[in-house]
Amino acid sequence: MMRCAVLTLFPDMVAPVLGQSMLKRAQEKGLLEVSVRNLRDFTFDRHKTADDVPYGGGAGMVMKAEPIFLAVEALCDQYGAANPIDANVRIVMPSPQGRPFSQELAKSLAEDARPIVFLCGHYEGIDERVRLALHPEEISVGDYVLTGGELAALVMIDAAARLVPGVLGDQASAEEESFSEALLEYPHYTRPAEVRGMGVPDVLVSGNHERIRVWRRKEAIRNTYQKRPDLLRDRVLGKEDQQLLIEVMQESLASACAGRRGD
């Protein structure tokens, strides 16, 4: 089971997503456990203040440290950990300053036996003393800035949960998906056989499983070569993949030459 908690000022941004589709089914199967905690519940003034103006001046508000410390400590008590930086709890802070999120990191989250606490920042950020005291694992979902860490946390939970055995109806789906082995996925088709004049590749209705396997492998390599060639640069290809890549490159060159002749 993958166990995690989301600490946020805006639980309504998180809870509805967790109650839909695969994430809902994973929780119903007992394969995923997610609790959403409102950081304002760990404040003590009548206004439930969890943010304040930054020292030194400047625009925006900064999330206060103490409610976060109290929330993390409460979760540690719940999970039976000795303290907030106990090795038995993994604290993740979505941040544009963190290391890039990847399929490898998603797998790491999925396979981690420890509870994972997602600490979601908002506004101008979180009091630096939180990072200094808790040493969270900072992870970025991209080189851009979001309103808060909630969406990023959901991305990570979704990507990891689908890798937990039993969450997907067919585990082979997770193994064949893009980035699972540094290749993008091959194209998919479903019924009807013709849509607006566009058909299905003959090989997919041939019934020849070996030809289908080779076609899918070649199309995965083609997708990667055309859309993310960087994924192929450091990849050691087997003999079959090398031959398929050569064919893809030759076909791409032939198509480009034909296009220039057509001009």
Side-chain angles (χ1 to χ4, degrees):
M1 173 194 281
M2 178 180 169
R3 293 185 295 164
C4 50
V6 180
L7 298 182
T8 172
L9 292 175
F10 299 95
D12 288 345
M13 289 184 66
V14 180
V17 177
L18 295 172
Q20 300 295 322
S21 188
M22 179 204 70
L23 294 176
K24 178 183 178 181
R25 293 195 298 273
Q27 292 172 86
E28 291 173 342
K29 291 180 180 179
L31 301 173
L32 173 67
E33 176 186 293
V34 188
S35 62
V36 183
R37 298 292 189 90
N38 189 337
L39 285 167
R40 297 188 190 279
D41 292 340
F42 298 90
T43 60
F44 297 101
D45 66 297
R46 67 189 189 123
H47 298 294
K48 295 191 173 294
T49 306
D51 57 279
D52 209 334
V53 295
Y55 276 116
M61 303 292 280
V62 175
M63 289 175 60
K64 296 166 69 71
E66 191 61 21
I68 294 172
F69 289 144
L70 292 173
V72 171
E73 287 164 358
L75 284 170
C76 285
D77 287 341
Q78 176 184 322
Y79 294 133
N83 58 67
I85 55 173
D86 191 292
N88 291 322
V89 174
R90 184 173 182 176
I91 302 177
V92 173
M93 185 166 73
S95 167
Q97 299 181 27
R99 61 171 168 158
F101 187 58
S102 63
Q103 190 74 1
E104 182 180 355
L105 257 176
K107 185 178 180 183
S108 169
L109 295 174
E111 295 177 348
D112 204 324
R114 298 172 295 174
I116 303 164
V117 177
F118 290 92
L119 176 53
C120 300
H122 222 83
Y123 307 125
E124 288 301 307
I126 295 174
D127 189 305
E128 178 67 4
R129 288 165 290 192
V130 170
R131 189 184 65 81
L132 295 175
L134 300 182
H135 307 290
E137 186 177 347
E138 296 182 76
I139 300 178
S140 169
V141 295
D143 292 334
Y144 46 84
V145 179
L146 296 169
T147 303
E150 291 82 8
L151 296 178
L154 286 169
V155 165
M156 288 186 254
I157 292 170
D158 185 275
R162 65 190 300 105
L163 300 178
V164 174
V167 169
L168 296 181
D170 182 356
Q171 192 59 27
S173 297
E175 296 170 359
E176 293 178 354
E177 287 175 337
S178 296
F179 303 108
S180 291
E181 56 165 350
L183 287 179
L184 302 187
E185 200 175 6
Y186 54 80
H188 296 277
Y189 295 84
T190 189
R191 291 175 286 188
E194 184 173 320
V195 176
R196 301 194 177 192
M198 296 177 288
V200 176
D202 293 339
V203 63
L204 295 181
V205 294
S206 69
N208 187 318
H209 296 295
E210 176 59 15
R211 284 185 60 210
I212 292 172
R213 183 195 68 79
V214 173
W215 179 88
R216 285 176 167 168
R217 190 67 179 177
K218 183 174 180 179
E219 293 308 306
I221 291 173
R222 189 191 310 278
N223 266 345
T224 308
Y225 175 72
Q226 292 177 343
K227 300 174 183 177
R228 288 291 305 276
D230 57 294
L231 296 176
L232 292 170
R233 290 190 192 115
D234 298 322
R235 179 181 171 82
V236 178
L237 299 176
K239 186 175 180 180
E240 180 185 59
D241 286 351
Q242 290 179 25
Q243 180 57 43
L244 292 175
L245 178 58
I246 290 172
E247 292 176 13
V248 165
M249 294 172 69
Q250 290 174 338
E251 290 167 7
S252 296
L253 179 60
S255 178
C257 291
R260 284 196 293 271
R261 286 196 298 269
D263 291 343

